[in-house]
């Protein structure tokens, strides 16, 4: 599962795995770095997509400290 969790006090995109419906394990932080645009220091609502070519992709909403940036 991809979810939003804290990393250094900011929202980040994280990964968790499951071995049963009630046994979840937090695995790792997937996206926490700030992109070159510097407009995505906060990241939320990530989702995963596998393209037709087989490439794994993660999309998320990124915004600066004060405002959502589209």
């Amino acid at each position: 599962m991809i979810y939003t969790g804290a990393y250094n006090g900011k929202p980040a995109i994280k990964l968790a795995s499951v071995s049963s419906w009630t046994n979840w394990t937090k695995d790792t932080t997937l996206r926490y770095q700030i992109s070159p645009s510097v407009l995505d220091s906060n990241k939320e609502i990530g989702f995963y997509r596998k393209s037709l070519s087989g490439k794994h992709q993660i999309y998320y909403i990124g915004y600066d400290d004060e405002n959502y940036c589209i």
Side-chain angles (χ1 to χ4, degrees), residues 30-47:
L30 299 174
R31 287 292 304 154
Y32 61 88
Q33 302 94 342
I34 299 173
S35 70
S37 71
V38 193
L39 296 175
D40 67 341
S41 59
N42 297 287
K43 297 160 187 59
E44 296 187 76
I45 314 172
F47 69 93

Side-chain angles (χ1 to χ4, degrees), residues 16-52:
S17 59
V18 64
S19 59
S20 70
W21 286 105
T22 59
N23 190 15
W24 288 89
T25 302
K26 295 177 181 179
D27 289 333
T28 189
T29 301
L30 299 174
R31 287 292 304 154
Y32 61 88
Q33 302 94 342
I34 299 173
S35 70
S37 71
V38 193
L39 296 175
D40 67 341
S41 59
N42 297 287
K43 297 160 187 59
E44 296 187 76
I45 314 172
F47 69 93
Y48 165 82
R49 176 184 183 269
K50 186 175 180 182
S51 70
L52 293 176

Side-chain angles (χ1 to χ4, degrees), residues 8-20:
N8 288 336
K10 294 186 177 279
I13 307 302
K14 298 187 160 234
L15 179 68
S17 59
V18 64
S19 59
S20 70

